[in-house]
Amino acid sequence: MAQRHRDHLPEDFSERSLSEDVRSGLTSSPKTLPPKWFYDKVGSELYEEITRLPEYYPFAAEREILMARASEIVAAAGSHHLIELGSGSSEKTRALIDAVLASTPDGEQAAYRAIDVSESALRAAAEDLALRYPALELESVRADFEHGLAEALAVDEGDRTGGRLVIFLGGTIGNQDPQQRQRFLATLHGALEPGDAFLLGADLVKSPDVLVPAYDDAAGVTAAFNLNVLEVVNGRLGADFDPRDFRHVAVWDAENAWIEMRLEAVRDVHVRTADLDLEVDFAAGEQLRTEISAKFTRERLAAEFEAAGFDAAGWWTDDAGLFSVSLWTVAARALT
Ligand code: AVJ
């Protein structure tokens, strides 16, 4: 089946946005770094390891839902054109692709478009999917959906066969703060048309006794994952962070309903980032925020989606009620 690849990012996109993020993050107060820089080769491997930890329930819980409910979800969405945001390895998506292929009427073409910033992840996933699914039309788009979402979602009119199902799995929406999320939902709603649907994987609020260990595991894998972002900045921008100067911290912020991961300086630290000609000091005990991972309730998600113009069209959880997969549709726009 035909395969197409589009690239919406300039060659030096990643270098430039990392530089901007590091400069603004390390000079702001409190200091921050966005979580997207965790995922170099080592970081992606550490994240894979996290998904196999006994404490890290979101991965297994979401997979349980998708395995059990894929045909129901695809039937509710009524679409055979899947578009995945932040597709990564596309591994869990296979349950949905199976359901799409099984329900695509004769004479219609099932399609899957992967959107990701990582060229290597897109290529590996496309190769794997092409072998597994000869009947599926595959497209990959390299884009940063925080910036180029509307362009990445655009479809050639000639290609349109029914509604699209845009999927965003893994609980990654939790990495956005409420303002970023509101902007994301507004852009998404603007890019979708009546008949399209959006499928979201979102982690749910629960006891800190379960939440905190999921982000501070006994084996120290999440600590290594968090500290690795310093190596990313060292390797790519010539900084001289010594990871031994920092310790991993995970806290549950009940008011904001999110987990915050931080790196805390264990002594006074001076860091020079050669490529940015930037010198930064950390006082002992000072914390650098590296990730928020927001947790939701059904009511809160419904309120945010409805405010953005979506209608609730489906809600599924794992048996233990830890994680959610929800479906949202775009109502026909009122004639004014
Ligand atoms: C891949 C973004 C969903 O927020 O739970 C895992 C990343 N961070 N452990 C999450 C992560 C710490 C993960 N997401």
Side-chain angles (χ1 to χ4, degrees):
M1 188 46 58
Q3 265 196 59
R4 276 185 292 173
H5 180 74
R6 284 195 278 144
D7 197 324
H8 283 302
L9 300 174
E11 190 71 59
D12 63 345
F13 168 81
S14 169
E15 231 55 58
R16 267 194 355 229
S17 61
L18 175 65
S19 299
E20 281 162 26
D21 287 350
V22 169
R23 184 182 296 284
S24 69
L26 292 188
T27 55
S28 68
S29 173
K31 296 182 174 67
T32 61
L33 279 180
K36 67 175 168 185
W37 304 114
F38 282 136
Y39 302 92
D40 70 337
K41 186 157 184 298
V42 172
S44 300
E45 281 163 12
L46 287 167
Y47 176 64
E48 294 271 302
E49 214 178 306
I50 287 173
T51 65
R52 294 191 291 269
L53 291 169
E55 295 98 331
Y56 191 76
Y57 63 85
F59 187 87
E62 185 180 57
R63 187 173 50 200
E64 178 190 323
I65 302 166
L66 293 174
M67 297 298 237
R69 308 296 201 141
S71 1
E72 216 180 295
I73 290 168
V74 167
S79 165
H80 42 272
H81 187 172
L82 276 185
I83 301 181
E84 180 162 26
L85 303 178
S87 46
S89 71
S90 300
E91 196 219 285
K92 272 189 279 191
T93 318
R94 295 203 305 250
L96 294 171
I97 295 176
D98 288 333
V100 163
L101 284 168
S103 65
T104 303
D106 285 342
E108 306 248 351
Q109 178 61 57
Y112 172 71
R113 174 188 299 184
I115 303 174
D116 205 283
V117 272
S118 162
E119 178 84 53
S120 55
L122 285 172
R123 188 167 310 123
E127 261 168 44
D128 175 72
L129 293 173
L131 289 175
R132 276 174 204 275
Y133 300 108
L136 189 67
E137 182 176 295
L138 286 172
E139 259 189 291
S140 53
V141 180
R142 180 169 168 262
D144 178 349
F145 58 77
E146 283 166 71
H147 302 108
L149 181 60
E151 294 84 343
L153 291 178
V155 179
D156 302 338
E157 269 315 308
D159 291 357
R160 287 305 292 273
T161 50
R164 296 167 290 176
L165 174 57
V166 178
I167 66 180
F168 189 28
L169 301 177
T172 307
I173 194 164
N175 288 166
Q176 301 177 339
D177 66 32
Q179 222 186 7
Q180 291 170 318
R181 201 160 62 232
Q182 196 188 5
R183 253 181 283 140
F184 169 75
L185 291 182
T187 308
L188 182 70
H189 187 265
L192 297 183
E193 290 168 19
D196 292 340
F198 178 61
L199 188 74
L200 179 73
D203 197 11
L204 299 173
V205 170
K206 59 187 61 67
S207 162
D209 298 343
V210 176
L211 284 166
V212 173
Y215 290 84
D216 193 5
D217 61 280
V221 182
T222 308
F225 172 74
N226 194 8
L227 287 160
N228 178 62
V229 77
L230 301 178
E231 304 282 15
V232 171
V233 178
N234 287 349
R236 291 183 57 183
L237 296 179
D240 61 358
F241 277 108
D242 183 341
R244 291 169 303 188
D245 289 340
F246 293 85
R247 70 177 192 100
H248 168 68
V249 176
V251 291
W252 169 240
D253 178 336
E255 197 184 320
N256 287 310
W258 66 49
I259 287 277
E260 228 174 274
M261 292 212 309
R262 305 171 185 160
L263 291 169
E264 182 178 297
V266 296
R267 55 187 73 87
D268 290 347
V269 177
H270 180 81
V271 181
R272 174 171 157 69
T273 303
D275 296 7
L276 301 181
D277 203 12
L278 177 70
E279 314 253 350
V280 171
D281 288 299
F282 290 79
E286 187 178 348
Q287 295 179 332
L288 165 68
R289 191 181 79 185
T290 51
E291 182 178 68
I292 63 167
S293 192
K295 309 303 170 190
F296 299 89
T297 61
R298 184 177 186 169
E299 293 69 31
R300 166 119 168 268
L301 277 178
E304 292 191 10
F305 273 85
E306 280 157 19
F310 290 90
D311 291 325
W315 176 266
W316 298 271
T317 70
D318 54 305
D319 282 342
L322 297 172
F323 197 92
S324 71
V325 170
S326 55
L327 186 70
W328 308 89
T329 51
V330 179
R333 287 175 181 75
L335 296 172
T336 48

